[in-house]
Amino acid sequence: MTIQTSDEYQAAIERLKELGENPADGPDQDEFFEINAAMVVYETRNHPALTREMASDRD
């Protein structure tokens, strides 16, 4: 799973709310972890400090 846009990120938040705070083992837990991992990648990629650092590396 990848999250590319803020709309997809918001949809992921809503889905996590549906899954609950700590889903039991099984497909729901797998989806919970997959969404969380995709959100971390999205947040890291779009973090202002990292965006500035990457831009300065290109100069």
Side-chain angles (χ1 to χ4, degrees):
M1 168 180 212
T2 58
I3 298 174
Q4 299 293 328
T5 67
S6 60
D7 288 340
E8 292 174 342
Y9 186 83
Q10 290 302 317
I13 291 172
E14 293 304 314
R15 181 60 185 144
L16 286 179
K17 289 178 185 176
E18 293 170 7
L19 290 171
E21 193 168 307
N22 190 15
D25 288 342
D28 285 349
Q29 186 181 56
D30 294 344
E31 183 179 4
F32 180 85
F33 289 137
E34 187 176 331
I35 291 170
N36 273 285
M39 290 175 79
V40 168
V41 170
Y42 176 83
E43 291 165 1
T44 301
R45 186 176 58 242
N46 292 295
H47 191 280
L50 296 175
T51 303
R52 282 192 302 269
E53 182 178 304
M54 290 174 16
S56 66
D57 287 347
R58 284 184 246 149
D59 294 338

